[in-house]
Amino acid sequence: MTASIAPLTVALPKGRVLRAVAPLLSRAGADVAALLADDRTLVRESVAAGLRFLLLKPDDVPTYVEYGAADLGVCGRDVLLERTADVYCPLDLKVGVCRMVVAGIVGRPPPAGVPRVGTKYPHIAAEHFARRGVQADVIYLQGSVELAPIVGLSDVIVDLVETGETLVQNGLEVREEVVRVSSVLVANRAAYKLRQDRIMPFVEALRRAVNGG
Ligand code: PRP
C-alpha cells in the first residue's frame, strides 16, 4: 500500500455538531451510516470513500490535527479562538452557527466595581474585556455556566448562545455580542501540502456540499 491510498483521517466532534456535519460528509461522498451508528467505537470507516473518522471531544480536535494524528478535522471557531492551534483552516462549514455573548440577569444593572465573569472560555472573555478597556475578573467554569450569575458566583457570563432557550429559562439576557461562531474544517499543515491529491478533492466536494451543490 502506498501513502497516497492510505485513508484520509478526519477528526470529528461527538454530539450536536457531528449530526449537523454528517449530511455534508454524505454529500461529499462519505458513507455516514457507520459514522452515525449508536455504539461506543471511536474509529469509524467509510472504506469506499477512503475515509477514516475519529470521534473526539470537540476541544481535542485541533490537537489531533496539529500533531498529524488526523489529516483533517471539524471544530467550532470558538475552540480555535480559545486556544491557538497551528492548523490550516480552509473552509467554513456554516453549521453549528451560534454567537458568543456576554449575558447577565434580566434587568440587573452592571456591578459598580470590577465585574466577575463566569465562562468556559477564559481567554476569549479576557481578550474581549481587555479590548474594551474594562478590567474583569474571569472565573473558569466547565459547564452549566448560566448558573453562575443566578447564585452570585459571577456578575455576567461569556458563553455560546444558539437558540437562546438556555438564557431565557434561567432568567438571563444578552448584553453584548463577542463573536459569531460556526464549525470550520481544519487541516494539518504538512498533510495539506503532502496529501494534496487526496485532500483537495475532498475539500472541494465539501465546499460544494456547503454551497448546496
Ligand atoms: C451550550 C452553551 C449554552 C447552551 C446554549 O451548552 O454553553 O449553555 O449550549 O444553547 P441554546 O442557546 O440553544 O439554549 P452545552 O449544551 O454544550 O452544555 P454545557 O452548559 O454543559 O456546556
Side-chain angles (χ1 to χ4, degrees), residues 16 120 143-144 146 159-166:
R16 266 199 264 202
K120 285 186 283 191
S144 302
E146 292 82 1
D159 200 14
L160 291 176
V161 173
E162 190 178 353
T163 63
E165 203 47 44
T166 310

Side-chain angles (χ1 to χ4, degrees), residues 11-204:
L12 297 173
K14 289 188 272 189
R16 266 199 264 202
V17 169
L18 178 60
R19 290 188 292 279
V21 167
L24 296 178
L25 294 169
S26 175
R27 289 209 288 277
D31 170 9
V32 294
L35 179 60
L36 296 175
D38 186 16
D39 64 46
R40 311 281 290 183
T41 57
L42 299 172
V43 181
R44 312 282 175 98
E45 309 271 353
S46 173
V47 177
L51 296 167
R52 183 169 71 134
F53 300 110
L54 311 180
L55 299 189
L56 306 175
K57 287 275 186 193
D59 287 1
D60 287 338
V61 167
T63 308
Y64 277 71
V65 174
E66 180 174 3
Y67 285 89
D71 300 301
L72 297 167
V74 170
C75 69
R77 211 175 274 284
D78 53 314
V79 174
L80 295 179
L81 290 171
E82 181 58 28
R83 55 165 208 72
T84 46
D86 187 18
V87 292
Y88 182 52
C89 190
L91 184 62
D92 187 333
L93 296 169
K94 298 181 183 166
V95 295
V97 176
C98 53
R99 300 187 295 155
M100 178 87 66
V101 303
V102 180
I105 300 277
V106 173
R108 183 180 292 175
V114 174
R116 283 186 300 169
V117 182
T119 187
K120 285 186 283 191
Y121 303 93
H123 180 72
I124 295 173
E127 274 216 332
H128 173 74
F129 285 98
R131 253 196 326 270
R132 296 173 63 255
V134 175
Q135 200 189 340
D137 182 5
V138 175
I139 301 169
Y140 173 64
L141 299 168
Q142 292 208 7
S144 302
V145 174
E146 292 82 1
L147 185 61
I150 296 173
V151 297
L153 174 62
S154 72
D155 299 299
V156 292
I157 60 173
V158 166
D159 200 14
L160 291 176
V161 173
E162 190 178 353
T163 63
E165 203 47 44
T166 310
L167 289 186
V168 169
Q169 289 194 20
N170 289 288
L172 302 176
E173 64 184 1
V174 173
R175 298 277 166 78
E176 299 167 53
E177 182 172 299
V178 177
V179 67
R180 285 185 178 261
V181 168
S182 58
S183 295
V184 295
L185 186 71
V186 291
N188 175 269
R189 289 188 182 280
Y192 203 75
K193 290 196 187 103
L194 298 173
R195 305 200 66 196
Q196 265 186 46
D197 56 325
R198 284 288 286 114
I199 290 180
M200 291 314 292
F202 182 62
V203 171
E204 288 314 311

